[in-house]
Amino acid sequence: MDALDRRRALYKGTTPPWKETYRKRCVDRLKNSRSRLLDRYRQMGDEQPRSSSIIVQEVMEEEWSALQPDDQRLPSLWGPHGVAQMFSVMKECDELAVLEEIHRELMSQEMSIIDEYERNLQFEQQYISSLVEGMDEMHIVCPICHMNNLSFSSSFISCPCGLYINTKKRNISPDVLQRLLEARVSEHMEDCLHSPVFSVTPNTDSHASLMISCQACDYLSVVL
């Protein structure tokens, strides 16, 4: 009895013992590869069909290779004859169905990450658009109350909601503030899909600073 025959006899009609370990490793790797997934998605643009995998195949390959040293009975999945060998074995011991099940789960999670990214990208675009309400005379909506337009003078920025930031000697125009807000929102969106919030915090010289933060990813940065 050769190695393939022994493998068929060992697992025929049973759930492969590596299933949960492999599934969990794949799920964790996909979550930890979110930045790589979104970078690849942005690079592909409209060229990538939504039904196609972006990095799921890579995740499964990487984790299968990592699992092999722990279970020497696992055949090579991606070697010169690995795919044909694996599929030959799995047709008889139901392991092909296990891989297909894991692949479907990972595809669903990959699509969820992309859908959430698209929703937050739309939010970002709408938010940035809402900051500017005109071209001749620029109006910036207060990032804290989202109701009033900010008032600008040569020495401060204020809002009826209570926002007050000393900008003396800093030459902060509406256009400059708009670029700062856009830059911080975009920076946060590179690594997190949740919506950030803005706040005013006193700094060491008793002047207030406009901050952007996110509880989901612990992002914190000074806007102004």
Side-chain angles (χ1 to χ4, degrees), residues 127 131 140-148 150 157-165 181 196-201 208-212 223:
Y127 176 75
L131 295 177
I140 297 183
V141 176
C142 176
I144 295 180
C145 70
H146 302 284
M147 295 177 60
N148 306 304
L150 294 176
I157 299 173
S158 64
C159 174
C161 74
L163 178 147
Y164 182 91
I165 299 175
L181 290 167
V197 296
F198 292 89
S199 61
V200 174
T201 305
S209 295
L210 179 61
M211 310 290 295
I212 179 174
V223 178

Side-chain angles (χ1 to χ4, degrees), residues 82-148:
V83 174
Q85 181 189 59
M86 174 60 79
F87 275 53
S88 173
V89 174
M90 289 182 178
K91 286 178 181 177
E92 296 196 22
C93 63
D94 294 328
E95 289 178 312
L96 176 59
V98 169
L99 278 190
E100 290 176 342
E101 176 186 338
I102 294 173
H103 184 270
R104 286 194 298 271
E105 179 180 354
L106 294 175
M107 283 294 297
S108 177
Q109 292 194 21
E110 185 180 81
M111 292 297 295
S112 295
I113 292 173
I114 291 173
D115 287 342
E116 188 177 7
Y117 167 77
E118 287 288 354
R119 288 194 300 271
N120 282 276
L121 183 62
Q122 183 177 15
F123 165 81
E124 177 190 359
Q125 293 170 341
Q126 291 174 345
Y127 176 75
I128 292 175
S129 297
S130 72
L131 295 177
V132 182
E133 296 183 339
M135 295 302 293
D136 297 330
E137 183 179 355
M138 182 174 291
H139 298 287
I140 297 183
V141 176
C142 176
I144 295 180
C145 70
H146 302 284
M147 295 177 60
N148 306 304

